[in-house]
């Protein structure tokens, strides 16, 4: 089918600009897109970046500006940032104006990205674009970070990093980043994931597969609804969780007619499951490959992913390590109105805690 791309390696390694017609697109009027940058620029001048502010973006004055002023953005921006509507569970929002020459060099890791965002000479547009990301994310819901990931920064930098080429994390490159639910291990994982593209010179595709589009029979669904296996934290949180409880969780559940899907095979001890479960899991995996779409983001585009129904990953690519590499910014977003299964309320999330300055209500469970 034209515009559909499967996870077959030969296809995934293609470096084509892929914006399949199945992907919902929401194009911002040019003046609305400019308004986002202007407001971010104004905030970034009012609250000039320094090392401390740029390290985590949790300075109360900055948060106050974001939380009060995002309402000033044009209605078209608020409208574009609503959760993805269709079956694919993803939307591309375009396009925030961005020039390559205002970015400076691509940093080599998240530490360098955070340090440079607060450095008077190195700053370039990074800090201002962090503010763009927070404003957009605040239109969608409640942006948050993780204390144990990228030092609790509210906007993560996704960069190919030397030594991490083969990791199953955002810092990898030459290996396929397998489809996963973001932070599947945690009951407070994001409802929406936002990926903003600063640079993607080789048009490397982010892959997305929606559980709404997979075909499973009733017996397979029953198997995958059993709370049988845990999902462990990914390597971006470290590797040491000696005292953590490892609660078994279901892959598929449903609340109020809404699918809640948790999938991260790279961090799931599948060998511990019985044959029926493994067979159903294998079927789900191949279905996710069948319905997979790759989106090669262009600078200024923002991908909004419904993390409750969509798994995402990335095709392999060759890192450049010359200052011109691919560079995404990522924000976790909570939708306060979205329900999660009651059983998740007892999970301790491997001791990982959110940094959630915009939280309006405690987690809602049925
Ligand atoms: O690099 C990408 O396109 C996606 C990486 C990823 O999985 C993430 O940032 O959570
Ligand atoms: Fe991810």
């Amino acid at each position: 089918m034209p515009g559909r791309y499967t996870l077959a390696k030969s296809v995934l390694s293609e470096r084509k600009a892929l914006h399949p017609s199945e992907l919902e697109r929401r194009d911002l009027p040019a003046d609305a897109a400019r308004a986002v940058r202007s407001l971010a620029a104004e905030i970034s001048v009012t609250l000039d970046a320094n090392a401390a502010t740029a390290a985590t973006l949790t300075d109360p004055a900055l948060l106050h500006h974001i939380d009060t002023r995002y309402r000033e953005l044009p209605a078209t921006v608020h409208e574009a940032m609503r959760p993805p509507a269709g079956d694919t569970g993803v939307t591309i929002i375009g396009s925030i104006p961005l020039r390559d020459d205002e970015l400076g060099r691509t940093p080599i890791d998240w530490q360098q990205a955070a340090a440079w965002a607060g450095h008077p000479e190195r700053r370039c547009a990074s800090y201002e674009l962090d503010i763009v990301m927070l404003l957009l994310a605040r239109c969608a819901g409640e942006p948050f970070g993780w204390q144990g990931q990228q030092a609790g920064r509210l906007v993560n930098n996704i960069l190919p990093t030397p030594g991490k080429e083969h990791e199953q994390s955002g810092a990898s490159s030459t290996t396929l980043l397998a489809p996963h639910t973001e932070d599947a291990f945690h009951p407070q994982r994001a409802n929406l994931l936002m990926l903003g593209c600063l640079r993607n010179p080789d048009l490397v595709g982010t892959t997305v597969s929606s559980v709404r589009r997979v075909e499973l029979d009733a017996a397979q669904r029953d198997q995958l609804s059993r709370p049988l296996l845990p999902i462990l934290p990914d390597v971006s949180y470290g590797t040491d969780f000696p005292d953590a409880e490892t609660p078994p969780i279901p892959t598929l559940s449903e609340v109020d007619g809404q699918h809640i899907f948790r999938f991260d095979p790279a961090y799931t001890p599948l060998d511990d499951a019985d044959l029926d479960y493994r067979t159903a899991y294998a079927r789900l995996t191949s279905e996710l490959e069948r319905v997979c779409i790759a989106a090669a983001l262009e600078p200024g585009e923002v991908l909004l992913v419904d993390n409750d129904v969509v798994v995402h990953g990335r095709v392999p690519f060759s890192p450049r390590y010359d200052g011109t590499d691919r560079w995404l910014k990522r924000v976790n977003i909570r939708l306060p109105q979205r329900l999660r299964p009651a059983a998740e309320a007892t999970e301790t999330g491997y001791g990982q805690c959110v940094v959630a300055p915009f939280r309006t209500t405690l987690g809602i469970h049925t």
Side-chain angles (χ1 to χ4, degrees):
M1 181 190 297
R4 174 168 292 179
Y5 299 86
T6 69
L7 263 172
K9 270 228 163 78
S10 57
V11 175
L12 276 185
S13 54
E14 282 185 20
R15 280 150 177 73
K16 292 197 304 189
L18 308 173
H19 276 161
S21 54
E22 294 149 289
L23 273 183
E24 186 196 10
R25 255 200 96 87
R26 297 176 186 162
D27 285 311
L28 292 172
D31 57 342
R34 269 197 308 274
V36 182
R37 278 249 20 199
S38 306
L39 180 56
E42 197 186 318
I43 296 173
S44 77
V45 171
T46 313
L47 280 164
D48 194 21
N50 54 51
T53 310
T56 60
L57 306 169
T58 54
D59 179 296
L62 175 61
L63 297 175
H64 181 72
H65 275 270
I66 304 289
D67 210 22
T68 49
R69 305 208 56 193
Y70 80 96
R71 295 186 178 89
E72 296 170 17
L73 290 171
T76 44
V77 176
H78 288 267
E79 176 75 2
M81 294 310 298
R82 72 194 188 281
D87 255 10
T88 58
V90 288
T91 300
I92 290 184
I93 295 129
S95 198
I96 301 298
L98 194 66
R99 287 191 335 271
D100 193 69
D101 64 4
E102 57 178 335
L103 298 178
R105 291 174 66 80
T106 301
I108 54 145
D109 57 21
W110 63 263
Q111 291 94 333
Q112 192 171 65
W116 285 3
H119 189 282
E121 278 114 54
R122 287 282 195 182
R123 185 176 313 152
C124 303
S126 188
Y127 174 63
E128 188 186 315
L129 293 169
D130 285 330
I131 296 174
V132 164
M133 292 293 285
L134 285 176
L135 288 168
L136 292 177
R138 188 68 189 96
C139 291
E142 299 170 3
F144 70 91
W146 296 96
Q147 281 175 21
Q149 190 180 55
Q150 299 203 5
R153 200 170 200 272
L154 292 175
V155 179
N156 294 159
N157 288 282
I158 306 301
L159 304 154
T161 295
K164 297 186 185 289
E165 292 82 359
H166 299 285
E167 260 187 24
Q168 283 299 311
S169 82
S172 65
S173 50
T174 49
T175 201
L176 174 76
L177 180 56
H180 58 279
T181 305
E182 195 67 13
D183 304 311
F185 69 95
H186 205 288
Q188 292 185 56
R189 67 198 175 281
N191 299 114
L192 297 180
L193 190 68
M194 192 174 116
L195 293 172
C197 179
L198 272 52
R199 215 170 239 158
N200 191 9
D202 299 314
L203 293 172
V204 175
T206 299
T207 62
V208 285
S209 305
S210 166
V211 77
R212 293 191 186 125
R213 302 175 78 202
V214 304
E215 286 173 16
L216 298 169
D217 64 28
Q220 289 159 341
R221 286 188 185 277
D222 284 350
Q223 283 297 328
L224 295 167
S225 305
R226 291 163 65 200
L228 194 69
L229 299 174
I231 299 181
L232 304 172
D234 67 74
V235 68
S236 67
Y237 291 89
T239 49
D240 198 19
F241 304 98
D243 303 323
E245 289 170 42
T246 53
I249 56 157
T251 302
L252 301 179
S253 25
E254 230 180 273
V255 179
D256 247 10
Q258 154 89 13
H259 289 288
I260 304 287
F261 174 40
R262 300 172 76 174
F263 184 79
D264 195 352
Y267 296 95
T268 304
L270 201 57
D271 289 347
D272 295 350
D274 52 60
L275 183 62
D276 286 345
Y277 189 90
R278 278 187 280 133
T279 308
Y281 200 93
R283 163 75 187 186
L284 172 62
T285 305
S286 67
E287 277 294 288
L288 291 170
E289 289 176 8
R290 184 180 64 80
V291 303
C292 179
I293 300 169
L297 296 178
E298 296 187 16
E301 289 183 333
V302 171
L303 182 71
L304 205 52
V305 178
D306 188 328
N307 196 42
D308 281 326
V309 292
V310 174
V311 286
H312 66 280
R314 185 190 51 228
V315 304
F317 68 102
S318 301
R320 302 170 166 219
Y321 300 149
D322 65 354
T324 67
D325 259 311
R326 185 171 188 266
W327 184 2
L328 305 185
K329 285 189 182 273
R330 177 181 69 192
V331 185
N332 296 292
I333 301 168
R334 173 175 177 265
L335 298 177
Q337 70 277 19
R338 187 69 77 80
L339 301 175
R340 286 270 171 72
E344 293 195 13
T346 60
E347 292 178 31
T348 54
Y350 299 80
Q352 298 301 315
C353 297
V354 293
V355 178
F358 299 104
R359 185 143 298 192
T360 48
T361 49
L362 292 174
I364 305 169
H365 291 90
T366 51

